[in-house]
Amino acid sequence: MASNETPRQWLKRTAGRGARWTRLSVIAGTLSTLVLLVQAWCIATIAQRMVIDGADFSSLTLPLMLLPPAFIVRGLLIRGRTICSARGGIEIRQSVRRELLERIAVLGPFWARRQHSATLSNRVWDQVDALQGFYADYRPQMLLCGIIPLIILVAVAPLSWAAALILIATGPLIPMNMAMVGIGAKKRQEDQFQEMGRMSRHFLDTLQGLSTLKLFGISKHQAQEVHTASESFRRRTMRVLRLAFLSSTVLEFFASVSIALLALYLGFVYLGQFHFGMYDHGINLFIGLFILILAPEFYQPLRDLGVHYHAKAEAEAAAEDLMPILNRRVFERDTDQPAWQPEASIALTLEGLSARYAGRASPALDNVTFELHANEMLAVIGPSGAGKSTLLNVLMGFMHPEAGGVSIKEGTRPPRALTDIRPDDWQRQIAWVGQSTVIVSGTLADNLRLANDAASDDALLDALEQAALKHWFDALPDGLDTRLGEGGRAVSGGQARRIALARAFLREARLVLLDEPTASLDQASERLVMDALARLSSGRTVVLLTHRMELLALADRVLMMDQGRVRALDTLDALRAPQGPLARPAATDIPERRDV
């Protein structure tokens, strides 16, 4: 995927994902034009024979029999063309949205957390949807613009070279107008997308901070700010629509003038004023009516292309915003690496590990070196900015170091570098419990099976018991089928945290990563979580980020970090000894906010 790819090139390349539907749409449009030739012949023949030739009714049998089926077939072909175009657009949108979500998953939650959620949702939904008009309407129409006018010219030219010349001379007026409109349309569409993103972020921030705004008495002022942002978006949207409608009006004008010129020529021929543009056969009623019936269809593809031209500008603006994510380079590992499954508990060795955030001069981790023994619980402490969360992101594979590395030792096998293990294999061996537990909209069983989709109901019940949720579960009205999340049963912070622990039990992972698992909990909930943590850590290697002295007592060793470096690593008793770094009372005041 070329990094210097333009939005137009990306749109063209992506069109191949729905190429079969585009081909079917173009074939249906072409066939409908051929059927129109049959309709025009039937109508012109009936008029010529009835009005001019005075032929009897029997000579009209063939055109009269062909005309009704031609109308029906053409209607079906037009409908089929519309359906195929829409299906093609839907298939491409689904493919792009799937690729976008997969790319976000590859970039990982560490990257996603640094993006505004409203902006991400706007890209995944609104901007991907903005591609529909281009693939369903504009692109098939652009292909038909090279086919339908050519078919009509081939039909008209043998009858009157002057009529064909008028069509050829006036046809380019419509594309020229589209080009002029397109210059400003794309810029306005880009401005509208930016304004939509800004309004989405503003509105989401207001909703999330509504309690604070109410308490400080500025909610009405903020409502006015939201109104101002939405009004600005409305004005930009109206400018885009005004441009689209005005361009359609101009296209209709040029098409009408072109058809009028053709009709004027035919009229002067019939009046005997013009004697050019015809062959030896002249121009009778059949020829004139046949040409006039086909003339609107000659311009119709160009008019439709002009109507859908704003869809091209909208799609290019959307593509320009989507491409930075889709083309973003990520850390790549060899996809041919063999599958990895540890046979025993794992130990980790971090040697010279350094990591840096983009745009930051100082490293978040600076030459971090230590060993984490198998089945050991290591507590990590330090002030905000010490590098604790960065360490977890590296261990989870969401952030890649710029120097040093991590090696894994399990059983009697030789150590393996983390980069030699496929990310999926490694992350399957990790159980994660953070400060904020995600409760998805679904049943309790659905929420638990996020950790192990093959877990049986008995395994779910056992995990709930291990996480001290048996009493809470017994009170649920529908057991494992009780709905949680939006529209379902509410759960407290302590219950949510223990649901996360139940997931960790179901995971059956070798490495457990815990980020402030008792933060913001009351004393009773904290005690339950701590008891569950003690059971969870049995037979597993655990890394625990905490500021709670009670949790430090569970750890085998404590790692103290400061400014991305290892300050001390020893048992809690040794660190609290008279000469240890935690000996003084002030030194035990470990900050309560986690590293961000």
Side-chain angles (χ1 to χ4, degrees):
M1 193 178 297
S3 58
N4 58 348
E5 190 176 36
T6 65
R8 188 171 300 181
Q9 291 170 334
W10 182 84
L11 289 170
K12 182 178 179 180
R13 177 173 57 81
T14 308
R17 304 177 187 183
R20 55 173 181 156
W21 294 109
T22 301
R23 284 194 294 268
L24 289 174
S25 175
V26 171
I27 290 172
T30 302
L31 291 177
S32 70
T33 302
L34 296 176
V35 174
L36 177 65
L37 297 180
V38 176
Q39 288 179 298
W41 178 85
C42 292
I43 294 172
T45 299
I46 292 172
Q48 175 70 28
R49 292 179 182 177
M50 288 183 63
V51 177
I52 304 300
D53 299 342
D56 56 37
F57 187 79
S58 60
S59 64
L60 305 178
T61 303
L62 180 60
L64 286 174
M65 291 180 61
L66 287 177
L67 195 56
F71 277 110
I72 295 172
V73 171
R74 187 159 189 257
L76 292 174
L77 287 171
I78 292 174
R79 175 174 171 78
R81 171 190 158 190
T82 303
I83 292 173
C84 290
S85 297
R87 289 292 300 273
I90 292 171
E91 190 168 290
I92 293 173
R93 281 193 297 120
Q94 289 176 338
S95 172
V96 171
R97 184 170 285 127
R98 188 183 308 113
E99 181 185 355
L100 188 62
L101 292 171
E102 289 173 354
R103 174 60 53 154
I104 291 173
V106 169
L107 291 170
F110 170 70
W111 174 87
R113 280 199 301 268
R114 304 182 72 181
Q115 314 299 312
H116 200 289
S117 55
T119 301
L120 274 182
S121 62
N122 174 256
R123 286 170 173 167
V124 171
W125 299 111
D126 296 333
Q127 299 207 22
V128 173
D129 285 344
L131 303 176
Q132 175 71 15
F134 176 81
Y135 291 116
D137 301 321
Y138 179 81
R139 185 169 174 80
Q141 196 62 45
M142 184 174 63
L143 297 174
L144 288 172
C145 281
I147 299 175
I148 293 177
L150 183 62
I151 293 174
I152 293 175
L153 280 175
V154 169
V156 170
L159 302 177
S160 171
W161 61 263
L165 190 62
I166 291 173
L167 294 176
I168 293 172
T170 56
L173 293 175
I174 296 176
M176 287 172 57
N177 176 73
M178 287 192 303
M180 290 186 292
V181 170
I183 294 174
K186 184 185 176 191
K187 182 66 174 70
R188 290 192 178 185
Q189 199 68 53
E190 289 174 354
D191 292 343
Q192 187 199 28
F193 275 133
Q194 291 176 0
E195 190 66 24
M196 181 187 294
R198 190 179 77 85
M199 185 183 69
S200 300
R201 292 192 299 271
H202 197 157
F203 184 65
L204 183 60
D205 290 342
T206 300
L207 286 180
Q208 291 175 338
L210 191 57
S211 300
T212 303
L213 295 174
K214 290 290 289 183
L215 289 173
F216 282 102
I218 57 173
S219 57
K220 291 184 179 180
H221 171 75
Q222 195 65 20
Q224 183 61 38
E225 292 289 331
V226 173
H227 172 75
T228 302
S230 61
E231 185 65 16
S232 175
F233 177 71
R234 182 191 67 81
R235 285 195 297 269
R236 291 179 185 274
T237 302
M238 292 307 296
R239 281 199 290 268
V240 173
L241 292 176
R242 183 164 60 244
L243 182 63
F245 290 142
L246 288 176
S247 64
S248 299
T249 303
V250 174
L251 294 177
E252 292 293 333
F253 170 77
F254 281 122
S256 300
V257 169
S258 301
I259 295 172
L261 285 175
L262 186 59
L264 192 64
Y265 163 75
L266 292 173
F268 277 113
V269 169
Y270 289 142
L271 292 174
Q273 301 299 315
F274 288 167
H275 303 283
F276 64 89
M278 61 197 82
Y279 303 101
D280 294 339
H281 53 66
I283 296 181
N284 56 14
L285 179 61
F286 170 84
I287 293 175
L289 190 56
F290 184 80
I291 293 173
L292 284 177
I293 292 173
L294 295 182
E297 190 67 18
F298 177 86
Y299 299 105
Q300 191 61 47
L302 298 172
R303 292 158 69 184
D304 290 341
L305 187 66
V307 170
H308 300 311
Y309 195 77
H310 72 282
K312 174 179 178 289
E314 186 180 21
E316 287 184 353
E320 193 158 0
D321 202 45
L322 293 173
M323 286 171 60
I325 298 179
L326 296 173
N327 294 349
R328 186 181 180 91
R329 297 190 62 175
V330 297
F331 180 83
E332 296 182 357
R333 290 176 174 167
D334 185 6
T335 55
D336 295 330
Q337 292 166 330
W340 177 77
Q341 175 68 37
E343 296 178 350
S345 299
I346 61 175
L348 303 178
T349 300
L350 284 70
E351 187 170 355
L353 192 68
S354 295
R356 189 188 311 270
Y357 294 112
R360 301 274 184 91
S362 58
L365 294 177
D366 187 7
N367 195 28
V368 173
T369 300
F370 68 87
E371 290 188 10
L372 175 62
H373 305 141
N375 298 329
E376 176 187 31
M377 176 182 283
L378 178 70
V380 183
I381 62 174
S384 178
K388 304 186 300 296
S389 291
T390 305
L391 178 63
L392 286 192
N393 278 311
V394 171
L395 292 179
M396 287 187 286
F398 297 149
M399 186 176 183
H400 305 288
E402 63 178 12
V406 181
S407 61
I408 294 94
K409 179 76 166 60
E410 35 113 2
T412 58
R413 291 181 178 180
R416 296 184 63 171
L418 180 58
T419 52
D420 294 336
I421 299 174
R422 291 190 298 190
D424 289 348
D425 289 342
W426 172 245
Q427 288 165 359
R428 270 194 291 269
Q429 298 305 318
I430 296 176
W432 158 256
V433 180
Q435 296 186 50
S436 301
T437 301
V438 175
I439 301 295
V440 300
S441 181
T443 65
L444 173 59
D446 294 335
N447 275 273
L448 293 173
R449 287 195 174 102
L450 291 176
N452 183 355
D453 57 4
S456 64
D457 287 353
D458 290 339
L460 300 185
L461 295 175
D462 182 64
L464 290 171
E465 186 169 359
Q466 293 286 344
L469 282 170
K470 185 67 167 61
H471 180 73
W472 171 75
F473 172 78
D474 290 338
L476 295 179
D478 300 315
L480 291 172
D481 295 326
T482 302
R483 293 196 64 82
L484 306 180
E486 186 176 353
R489 186 184 183 91
V491 294
S492 67
Q495 290 163 351
R497 202 70 54 83
R498 280 176 281 156
I499 288 175
L501 286 170
R503 291 171 181 163
F505 280 107
L506 285 169
R507 189 74 169 168
E508 297 181 354
R510 303 287 186 175
L511 177 64
V512 179
L513 303 178
L514 308 170
D515 186 2
E516 300 283 9
T518 61
S520 306
L521 296 183
D522 59 75
Q523 191 172 2
S525 296
E526 181 180 4
R527 186 71 259 169
L528 290 172
V529 169
M530 288 179 60
D531 291 342
L533 286 176
R535 291 190 292 272
L536 178 63
S537 61
S538 177
R540 294 179 174 91
T541 305
V542 181
V543 177
L544 166 68
L545 269 60
T546 185
H547 68 276
R548 303 288 292 177
M549 196 59 69
E550 293 85 352
L551 284 178
L552 291 182
L554 296 176
D556 298 299
R557 290 188 299 164
V558 178
L559 171 67
M560 294 187 63
M561 297 188 66
D562 189 19
Q563 297 182 353
R565 297 184 179 92
V566 175
R567 181 181 171 191
L569 174 60
D570 212 326
T571 63
L572 180 60
D573 290 339
L575 295 177
R576 298 182 69 179
Q579 301 302 320
L582 295 180
R584 293 178 298 170
T588 61
D589 184 17
I590 303 169
E592 295 195 3
R593 292 179 61 85
R594 75 174 182 91
D595 179 33
V596 293

